[in-house]
Amino acid sequence: MSYRTILANLNIDGPVAPLMDYAINLAARFNSHLVGFAAAVPSAPMAWPEGMVTDGEMAHEREEIELRMKILRREFESHAGTNVSREWRGGVANPTRLIIEMSRVADLIVTGCEDDLTLGHPERFINLGNLVLQAGRPVLVAAKGARRIFTNTALIAWKDTREARRAVVDALPLLCQASEVVVVTVDRGADILTQESIDDVCAFLRRHGVTAQSEIIKDRHEGESLLRFAKHMDAELVVSGAYGHSRVRELVFGGVTRSLLAEDSFSRFLSS
């Protein structure tokens, strides 16, 4: 198993060199075709104390976006060089909606962390939660500032759900390269069925050449316990199903998903 095509999301306003290196390293590792992506759209007209944003100002912002994307494309092509097969996609469009559409070309989407810069600016940055839940592809969120992915130690956040089962299968190419894999369940009411479930996952992985240990943590604080264990084992990658649902004009995430989206000290592999 491998990732034949990787789609790399590059924020139009943020520092992109680390994520470019991260995605290029990953594509070279799996001999993947790499698709660089960026998108933004002019701010919607809105009232300011000085008055309305004018058509001329919006046209100027569109020109600035188009110029920035040309620069990003050149930087991406320069970084990739002849190391990997590559192409560029993007446009003047809502970045979240466009990358969800473009996910049809990829086996895996790579993106950076959300931070104070990206939050609250949907016209220039993707909404990571929407991407994870709507793309129909696994999303690998790079650790903050990471220039390459390390998978020496990987943690699988296991619960017996469709999302977690999907995540384990989607992450197999990375898990096969890890030297230590731990399947962790956080369940205050864990019983024999919990143990059977986690044993089955370890057996499944073993048949794919992945030697995994198991750990059951009896605690009611899933997200906190999982992050604490991940940091204790120095996990470089956490694999998890992503859980969430829509509520009026917002997404509501499960505790583990919310905790993982907010954590940036290790890479996170999320499937829904």
Side-chain angles (χ1 to χ4, degrees), residues 154-158 167-168 171 175 237-241 260 267-270:
L155 181 153
I156 297 172
W158 176 253
V168 169
L175 294 172
L237 176 71
V238 172
V239 175
S240 176
L260 289 175
S267 296
R268 288 136 291 159
F269 188 105
L270 301 165

Side-chain angles (χ1 to χ4, degrees), residues 143-209:
K144 188 173 183 178
R147 288 184 174 269
R148 60 176 298 172
I149 182 168
F150 296 95
T151 54
N152 293 320
T153 53
L155 181 153
I156 297 172
W158 176 253
K159 60 170 62 177
D160 200 1
T161 62
R162 176 185 64 83
E163 293 85 353
R165 292 190 287 270
R166 184 74 262 162
V168 169
V169 172
D170 288 341
L172 272 174
L174 287 168
L175 294 172
C176 285
Q177 296 187 353
S179 56
E180 180 184 5
V181 177
V182 182
V183 185
V184 179
T185 289
V186 181
D187 186 352
R188 182 175 58 174
D191 55 18
I192 186 63
L193 295 178
T194 309
Q195 187 65 59
E196 288 178 358
S197 172
I198 205 169
D199 288 346
D200 283 344
V201 178
C202 290
F204 170 83
L205 291 169
R206 192 161 51 249
R207 287 190 288 272
H208 284 274

Side-chain angles (χ1 to χ4, degrees), residues 251-263:
L251 283 171
V252 180
F253 295 104
V256 170
T257 305
R258 187 169 57 250
S259 296
L260 289 175
L261 289 175
E263 179 58 52

Side-chain angles (χ1 to χ4, degrees), residues 1-9 22-37 76 84-89 99 101-111 135-140 170 173-174 269:
M1 296 181 68
S2 186
Y3 305 116
R4 302 309 304 154
T5 304
I6 296 171
L7 176 62
N9 172 58
Y22 186 98
I24 291 165
N25 172 264
L26 189 66
R29 182 185 298 192
F30 289 106
N31 194 27
S32 307
H33 181 66
L34 181 61
V35 181
F37 171 91
F76 169 74
V84 296
S85 168
R86 55 170 168 76
E87 68 175 280
W88 178 262
R89 296 205 181 197
I99 194 171
E101 290 177 12
M102 290 298 102
S103 66
R104 63 180 176 255
V105 307
D107 300 289
L108 176 67
I109 300 169
V110 176
T111 189
R137 294 291 189 272
V139 177
L140 177 60
D170 288 341
L174 287 168
F269 188 105

